[in-house]
């Protein structure tokens, strides 16, 4: 049996933020086994971690594929390591991933992740995006992972009703839509139909693109962000050189065990 937890990330309230499953294993599992577990959990991400070098190996799976970078499941993993006292509160969490070494530190009730910057460059907008979102973009850019689209206002953003069948045809991991905000520096929504996740509640990895974009636009290195999904989530972001310091809170909602067939 393997311990598994469901953690709501980027929130301090249950049933808000973005839920991720965290599966602790003594060693690596087969890829097919991890994919089957992720499909069974049916959350946007399931994280698998086991002790490795001076930290933990960490991989992330959606219900239908592995991904190279995930913020909320990394935050959830760090939260479990401290909650289960596998790390002391003053220890740094080191995660070895397909995106290199990612680290986390605990500061009171907040966890700060150290992630790579993933800046976008301006590009043309596929016609399917315009049709699927029914928007007039202010700006369209793309990085190695996603499209980034700025639109006119947070009211328009909050009321988007995407055509996910059309969005799924766009050749990209995901679509990040963002705007200025009155209460926050910026807000966003993130859509990943190609990964089997129509709308992700709170997307840490998207802020690796959003943060440098809004930092350049607002001329500030400390940002207060909100992802305006139905569940919602808050991030505090600091940019240091080419790294994104992304802070959020987390709460455990389920503690269980997996019965693994031989």
């Amino acid at each position: 049996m393997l311990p598994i937890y469901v953690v709501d990330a980027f929130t301090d309230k249950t049933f808000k933020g973005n839920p991720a499953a965290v599966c602790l294993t003594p060693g690596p599992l087969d890829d097919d086994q991890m994919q089957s577990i992720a499909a069974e959990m049916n959350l946007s991400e399931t994280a698998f971690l086991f002790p490795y070098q001076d930290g933990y190996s960490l991989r992330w799976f959606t219900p239908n594929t592995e991904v190279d970078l995930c913020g909320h499941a990394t935050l959830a993993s760090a939260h479990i390591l401290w909650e289960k006292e596998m790390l002391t509160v003053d220890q740094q969490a080191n995660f070895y991933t397909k995106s290199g070494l990612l680290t986390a530190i605990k500061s009171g009730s907040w966890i700060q992740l150290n992630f790579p910057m993933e800046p976008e460059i301006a590009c043309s907008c596929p016609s399917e995006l315009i049709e699927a979102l029914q928007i007039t973009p202010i700006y369209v850019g793309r990085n190695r992972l996603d499209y980034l689209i700025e639109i006119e206002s947070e009211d328009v953003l909050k009321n988007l009703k995407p055509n996910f069948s059309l969005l799924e045809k766009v050749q990209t991991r995901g679509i990040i839509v963002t705007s200025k905000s009155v209460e926050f520096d910026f807000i966003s929504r993130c859509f990943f139909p190609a990964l089997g996740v129509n709308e992700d509640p709170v997307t840490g990895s998207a802020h690796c693109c959003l943060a440098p974009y809004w930092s350049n636009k607002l001329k500030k290195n400390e940002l207060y962000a909100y992802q305006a999904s139905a569940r919602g989530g808050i991030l505090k972001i600091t940019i240091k050189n080419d790294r994104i310091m992304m802070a959020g809170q987390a709460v455990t909602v389920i503690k269980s065990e997996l019965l693994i067939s031989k």
Side-chain angles (χ1 to χ4, degrees):
M1 293 190 294
L2 298 174
I4 192 163
Y5 307 87
V6 175
V7 176
D8 288 342
F10 293 114
T11 182
D12 62 350
K13 299 178 177 63
T14 55
F15 315 125
K16 297 292 184 181
N18 200 354
V22 179
C23 184
L24 303 175
T25 68
L29 300 179
D30 293 340
D31 287 8
D32 288 346
Q33 195 170 38
M34 288 188 285
Q35 188 62 74
S36 294
I37 293 169
E40 185 75 13
M41 297 307 297
N42 200 31
L43 297 172
S44 61
E45 306 287 346
T46 297
F48 297 88
L49 64 162
F50 63 86
Y52 179 77
Q53 295 185 12
D54 60 343
Y56 293 84
S57 169
L58 176 60
R59 293 172 69 180
W60 311 279
F61 286 77
T62 75
N64 61 9
T65 192
E66 183 175 11
V67 296
D68 290 343
L69 186 63
C70 179
H72 83 280
T74 304
L75 177 65
S77 298
H79 168 77
I80 289 298
L81 292 178
W82 281 303
E83 184 175 77
K84 301 303 294 180
E85 298 183 345
M86 299 171 73
L87 293 176
T88 62
V89 292
D90 58 347
Q91 275 186 290
Q92 176 177 281
N94 296 323
F95 298 111
Y96 293 89
T97 79
K98 288 192 172 184
S99 290
L101 176 64
L102 307 177
T103 64
I105 58 173
K106 188 169 176 60
S107 178
S109 64
W110 290 78
I111 294 171
Q112 185 182 75
L113 306 176
N114 184 333
F115 265 46
M117 191 179 290
E118 297 281 356
E120 93 301 332
I121 58 172
C123 69
S124 59
C125 188
S127 59
E128 295 93 338
L129 274 181
I130 299 295
E131 187 178 353
L133 297 172
Q134 292 293 300
I135 55 165
T136 302
I138 292 174
Y139 172 85
V140 180
R142 187 173 184 176
N143 64 13
R144 69 183 182 93
L145 299 171
D146 308 311
Y147 277 97
L148 173 70
I149 302 172
E150 184 188 352
I151 61 175
E152 60 196 84
S153 74
E154 57 186 323
D155 286 339
V156 173
L157 177 64
K158 290 175 180 177
N159 288 299
L160 285 180
K161 293 178 173 59
N163 181 326
F164 293 112
S165 296
L166 280 177
L167 278 189
E168 192 173 2
K169 296 177 181 178
V170 180
Q171 296 300 304
T172 183
R173 182 190 77 151
I175 298 95
I176 306 164
V177 187
T178 187
S179 74
K180 291 180 181 179
S181 170
V182 175
E183 182 179 357
F184 302 89
D185 288 308
F186 65 90
I187 66 170
S188 63
R189 290 175 67 187
C190 297
F191 309 110
F192 300 93
L195 300 181
V197 180
N198 281 345
E199 180 166 7
D200 196 37
V202 194
T203 314
S205 63
H207 287 78
C208 296
C209 179
L210 285 161
Y213 176 76
W214 283 106
S215 175
N216 290 334
K217 190 157 187 168
L218 300 176
K219 307 302 181 188
K220 58 194 297 188
N221 287 333
E222 294 187 356
L223 299 161
Y224 191 41
Y226 180 71
Q227 192 155 326
S229 65
R231 293 174 64 103
I234 293 172
L235 303 89
K236 296 179 181 178
I237 300 166
T238 302
I239 295 180
K240 293 185 178 179
N241 300 318
D242 62 346
R243 304 294 294 183
I244 306 295
M245 307 300 167
M246 186 187 319
Q249 296 173 288
V251 56
T252 304
V253 293
I254 296 174
K255 302 176 182 181
S256 189
E257 292 180 325
L258 286 170
L259 304 176
I260 303 297
S261 302
K262 297 286 187 180

